């Protein structure tokens, strides 16, 4: 009986020590665990505030083109060091495109005012050509009836 009681006391002691280690006592706001986004799936969920020190630490290591709102969202699930590592892995041109700073015109659609009568005629011809397609014809099945 004494052995069972001793085992229970040891298990409870280990659980207490583990819970204290998980809480990260004395780690400071920059080194503490991010709040996470698991609970934000609900429509009525309130977004947690990001620690200003964590945001400042991430801002010091990330390009200034990245908005604070993006950093704040990333800091919900990652530490400032992890966020800096993630953003450093993104090529500069990809980051510029993601932030809407397109310097080149390749691959983008340029809208230049109203469509002309010639443009509209081309669209009508294209529409007629699509209407004439027999997309439901999957071959001749007249000879193979079961």
């Amino acid at each position: 009986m004494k052995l069972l009681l001793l085992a229970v006391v040891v298990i409870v002691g280990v659980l207490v020590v583990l819970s204290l280690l998980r809480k990260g006592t004395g780690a400071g706001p920059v080194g503490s665990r991010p709040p996470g986004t698991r609970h934000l799936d609900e429509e009525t969920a309130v977004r947690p505030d990001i620690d200003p020190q964590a945001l400042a630490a991430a801002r010091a290591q990330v390009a200034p083109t990245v908005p604070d709102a993006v950093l704040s969202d990333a800091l919900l699930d990652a530490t400032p060091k992890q966020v800096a590592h993630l953003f450093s892995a993104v090529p500069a041109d990809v980051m510029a495109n993601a932030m809407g700073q397109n310097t080149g015109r390749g691959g983008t659609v340029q809208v230049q005012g109203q469509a002309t009568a010639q443009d509209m005629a081309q669209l009508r011809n294209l529409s007629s050509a699509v209407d004439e397609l027999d997309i439901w014809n999957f071959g001749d099945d007249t000879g193979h009836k079961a």
Side-chain angles (χ1 to χ4, degrees):
M1 187 64 149
K2 289 182 183 182
L3 185 60
L4 181 62
L5 184 60
L6 181 63
V8 170
V9 169
V10 169
I11 291 173
V12 169
V14 169
L15 291 176
V16 168
V17 169
L18 286 176
S19 70
L20 288 176
L21 289 176
R22 275 198 170 177
K23 288 183 182 177
T25 56
V30 174
S32 64
R33 295 179 63 160
T37 55
R38 175 181 285 163
H39 66 283
L40 294 179
D41 290 339
E42 300 294 325
E43 290 180 19
T44 58
V46 176
R47 294 177 64 82
D49 291 331
I50 297 298
D51 182 30
Q53 290 178 348
L55 184 60
R59 172 55 60 207
Q61 299 176 29
V62 175
T65 57
V66 178
D68 283 347
V70 173
L71 281 180
S72 295
D73 283 349
L75 288 170
L76 288 174
D77 287 314
T79 65
K81 185 176 179 180
Q82 291 170 330
V83 168
H85 181 71
L86 288 170
F87 279 108
S88 70
V90 178
D93 60 332
V94 173
M95 183 64 74
N97 286 338
M99 296 299 146
Q101 300 168 350
N102 244 355
T103 56
R105 299 209 185 266
T108 60
V109 176
Q110 299 294 322
V111 179
Q112 300 176 356
Q114 296 287 329
T116 63
Q118 182 182 5
D119 294 334
M120 296 303 289
Q122 285 179 339
L123 286 173
R124 277 189 218 96
N125 289 342
L126 181 62
S127 174
S128 297
V130 169
D131 287 343
E132 291 173 7
L133 289 176
D134 191 8
I135 61 172
W136 300 110
N137 185 0
F138 297 110
D140 187 19
D141 63 348
T142 57
H144 301 290
K145 297 270 182 174

